């Protein structure tokens, strides 16, 4: 059983920060690029951020480029999405995924998806 398990979601007021975590279970994912995605009800899923196998390359959606930071700690087999200056939005599910590269993750071509964690930003 190979799983990715997200945590850290919740409710936060606009302008504040929140950090999401993605933990590996069943095997290591240190040989995979990792990414984060979000999807609101009635909307398509959007790419948010991705990081390469050793953390040397990162990529972000334009909407979050100056506010979010993705990091990974392969010794702990985890990665993190630091979200700053959050903007008001409808509740959305943030999901972690493993893929071949940051480029393929940007195209949402992942090998394994987590179940997601919900984030709500109020005004």
């Amino acid at each position: 059983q190979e799983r990715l398990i997200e945590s850290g979601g919740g409710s936060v007021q606009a302008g504040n920060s929140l950090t999401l975590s993605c933990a590996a279970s069943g095997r290591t994912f240190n040989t995979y690029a990792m990414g984060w995605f979000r999807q609101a009800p009635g909307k398509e899923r959007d790419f948010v951020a991705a990081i390469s196998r050793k953390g040397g390359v990162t990529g972000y959606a334009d909407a979050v480029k100056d506010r979010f930071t993705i990091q990974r700690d392969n010794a702990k087999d985890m990665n993190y999405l630091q979200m700053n200056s959050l903007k008001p939005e409808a509740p959305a599910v943030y999901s972690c995924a493993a893929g071949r590269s940051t480029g393929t993750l940007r195209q949402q071509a992942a090998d394994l998806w987590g179940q997601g964690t919900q984030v709500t930003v109020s005004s």
Side-chain angles (χ1 to χ4, degrees):
Q1 294 179 328
E2 303 170 355
R3 297 180 62 197
L4 296 172
I5 305 172
E6 302 94 336
S7 62
S11 298
V12 63
Q13 289 192 295
N16 289 347
S17 299
L18 194 67
T19 298
L20 306 181
S21 299
C22 177
S25 179
R27 63 158 294 167
T28 179
F29 286 88
N30 291 344
T31 58
Y32 292 82
M34 305 299 296
W36 284 92
F37 306 81
R38 65 185 176 189
Q39 185 171 27
K43 303 290 186 179
E44 66 180 4
R45 183 175 58 207
D46 292 327
F47 167 80
V48 176
I51 188 166
S52 61
R53 291 170 175 80
K54 295 184 178 181
V57 178
T58 58
Y60 299 90
D62 289 342
V64 307
K65 184 178 180 180
D66 298 321
R67 299 183 294 115
F68 290 12
T69 302
I70 186 170
Q71 303 178 86
R72 70 188 302 163
D73 185 344
N74 285 350
K76 298 179 180 179
D77 221 337
M78 298 186 69
N79 76 86
Y80 312 90
L81 182 67
Q82 174 70 46
M83 304 185 293
N84 297 325
S85 301
L86 286 164
K87 298 178 179 180
E89 62 180 12
V93 174
Y94 281 69
S95 299
C96 176
R100 195 169 69 87
S101 71
T102 58
T104 58
L105 285 169
R106 185 180 291 273
Q107 300 171 46
Q108 303 194 37
D111 295 325
L112 182 67
W113 293 86
Q115 291 296 306
T117 184
Q118 185 167 285
V119 174
T120 301
V121 184
S122 60
S123 59

